[in-house]
Structure formats: C-alpha cells, structure tokens
Amino acid sequence: MITDYPLTFSRPEAYYPPKYTYYTSSVFRDYGVIDWVGLASVNGEGHFTFNIPNLGLETINLYIEGMTADGQLISDVKTVRLSND
C-alpha cells in the first residue's frame, strides 16, 4: 500500500561532519554526528555497506531513517559495538 505523505525533499547536498575536540565528551555522546548517508540503497542481497572512521569509540548509535520501495517509512536506532583493531 502506497500512501502519499506531505513530504518534499531537495536535492542532496554535500555533508561535512563537524570536528570535535573530544569524541569521548558528553556533548559528543549526546549530540555528536560522525556522518550522514543520503540516497542509500541496498544490493541484490539486501545489504548496504559503509565505513565508520576509527575515532576510538567502543560503541555508536546508528539512526536509520528512510522509505522503502513500497512507501513505508523506516525509523530505527541500532547500537553497534566497534572493534578498534
């Protein structure tokens, strides 16, 4: 079922993540942004690949938001434990 949502989007702009003095600070933990990926799509197996810069963090939250091919909205948060090898 496709539903019309009163949403409009402008063309994607380049995203420049802010530079933080400390990636372990409470400000970064509560409000920090590492990156944003626009116009993402999955491959034939349903996978999406991306890189996360090594900032020495043990975990990050991924905020996943978008729309499926059939018009369903997606909004989810996943906490990921990182390997800092």
Side-chain angles (χ1 to χ4, degrees), residues 44-73:
E45 297 175 353
H47 298 145
F48 172 69
T49 303
F50 60 96
N51 294 313
I52 300 169
N54 185 348
L55 302 173
L57 303 172
E58 292 181 14
T59 61
I60 62 166
N61 289 331
L62 294 177
Y63 294 85
I64 305 163
E65 299 189 346
M67 187 176 289
T68 65
D70 65 355
Q72 291 184 329
L73 294 177

Side-chain angles (χ1 to χ4, degrees), residues 18-65:
K19 301 290 184 197
Y20 299 92
T21 304
Y22 302 102
Y23 289 95
T24 56
S25 71
S26 61
V27 171
F28 177 77
R29 184 184 65 242
D30 294 341
Y31 304 105
V33 175
I34 295 174
D35 202 356
W36 175 79
V37 178
L39 298 176
S41 58
V42 296
N43 66 16
E45 297 175 353
H47 298 145
F48 172 69
T49 303
F50 60 96
N51 294 313
I52 300 169
N54 185 348
L55 302 173
L57 303 172
E58 292 181 14
T59 61
I60 62 166
N61 289 331
L62 294 177
Y63 294 85
I64 305 163
E65 299 189 346

